[in-house]
Every structure is written in C-alpha cells, then in structure tokens.
Amino acid sequence: MENKANDTLIVSSAPHLVSEVDTSRIMGTVILALVPSFFVSTYVFGFRVITLTLVCIAACVTLEYLFNKITKKKQTIGDLSAVVTGMLLAFNVPSNLSYIIAIIGCFVAIVIVKGLFGGLGQNVANPAITARIVLFLSFTTQMTTWPLPRGQQTADVVTGPTPLGILKGANGVLPSNTDMFFGFIGGSMGEISAIALLIGGIFLIWRGIISPIIPVSFIATVAVIALAAGQDPVFHVMAGGVMIGAFFMATDYATSPILPLGKLIFGIGCGCFTMIIRLFGSYPEGVSFAILLMNIITPHIDNFCERRIFGGVKS
C-alpha cells in the first residue's frame, strides 16, 4: 500500500492548476496583437520594415538557441518569447537602422537581460526596452534618424524629426492628431499608429492576456499631466511610445507588479516619469526610461501591496 502511494503521489511546486493557456499561446496572442501595427508600419515605411523585423526575430531566436546550447539549458525557443522580443525590439527602432546594430540590440535583450538572469520570468527588466535604451545611448545618431512616411519624402528630404522632436524645438511642422491616430508620421516602426496599437491592446485585454489597469492608468496619467501643463493631452498620448509602451511593454508579466494596486501604482509611475522627462528632460521622449525605472522598483511595489493585504510588522 505504501509503495503504491509513493508511485502515484506527485510532489511539485505551485502552480497546481492546469490550464490550456501556456507561454506559447500567450506569446502567440501577443504576436497576433502586433500584426495591425506591423501592417501599418509596412505601408508607411515600405519593405524594409519586413526585412528588419525578420532580422530581429531570427537574431533573437538564434541567440536564445545558442545561449541555451552553450549553457546546457533546456531549449525554450518553442515558447515564442524570443519571437515577441524580436518583434518588440524591431518596433522600437527606426526602419532604416543598420541590421548589425539591430542584432547588437538583440544580443543585449536575449543574452544579457534575459539569459544571464535565468531566462523567461527571471529577468528584472523588459529585454526589448533595455535593449532600446542601450542602442539609443550607444548609437544615438542612427537611433534618432527617422525616415519620413513614403508620401512625405522628396528627392532631397527622406528623414525628419518625430512629433515629439518638433515639440522639443526641432525644425518641422507638428502633424495633426488625425495623422498621428492613423500613423502617417515619422518615428519608430511600431509606435506610429495609435489606432493599430489600440486594436492590438484591446485584443489582448479581451483575450485576458493583459489587465487593463496598467495601460489605462499609464495613458490617463500622461493625459492628465499634459493637460495640467497646458499641452494637448491627445497629442502626448498618441506621440512617441506611450501606446506601444502601455499595452505591450509595461504589461510584461515578469517585470510588472502582480496585484491590482501594484499595477495601478506601476502605471501611474510610468506616466509620471514619461511626462517629467518629456517636459523637463533633454530627451524628447521618456517612455523607455520610465518603464525601465518602474521595472527596477517593481519588487518594492509588490512588497508594499502584499503588506497592505496580509499585514506585517513595521520595521
């Protein structure tokens, strides 16, 4: 009887509930949600969007395979997380970026930020966000040379400032909110079209992949601070990386708080840091830095929220 019990009793760590939703299904849903933005970006910037996205995906998958092979870890390329990281990194760079520089970003994301910290779920910062910041600081000229939409290019002018760059003082005319809504503006490949990102974000919320708390609080905070500063809140919500950051980057399971109150604090913090940098910093955009800063303090947010629920001794 004792032997029979030992044969059938399985002792394992949590979670014990079995669901049809696994990592590959979640990542596959995120990839589907990014498709509208991919199509708009391809229409606006042309064929190079496709090749740069494929290069980033291939580089991320290959680097993850090689890292697992060298460190003798279980292969994880089948969970599609490397594909998502490749797509998000591609969506956060200009479409004319060198393939070599993009691959360097993939190395930072997959090997340094993800692999060396233990793999998926163990990283303390969003891999794509961190890689974008590293590329931005290391290859500033290449990362800030923005192609104009194909319809706005002339024989002499093929690049130009982003809407936030113009607001910060660069030469140019601010685009209309309608152009920003549909994506007929310069900028990183995947952040130009608010409607495409909104469709993808609503799709993720509808499928239960992400909670609406972080995106809503992030976007609302940006709008409120812009309004308080006497600027157009709609412009600030649709400009730069707010939409892609709120729906696709700040909601990363591994680097955002678990509890609803924590998610609310996280979203508000992202919005505050974004607007502080936009209004008072040297850089025209602050979404990446804001999300990275909030990633760093996520463990403290979780601890604070857990003490409020379960109680604890004040130190």
Side-chain angles (χ1 to χ4, degrees), residues 8 19 27 32-33 63 67 69 86 95 114 148 183 238 280 301 312:
T8 56
S19 168
M27 296 299 167
L32 284 176
L63 286 167
F67 182 86
K69 190 77 173 178
S95 62
K114 183 179 177 183
L148 292 170
M238 293 194 295
F280 306 108
I301 297 174

Side-chain angles (χ1 to χ4, degrees), residues 52 102 187 208:
L52 185 56

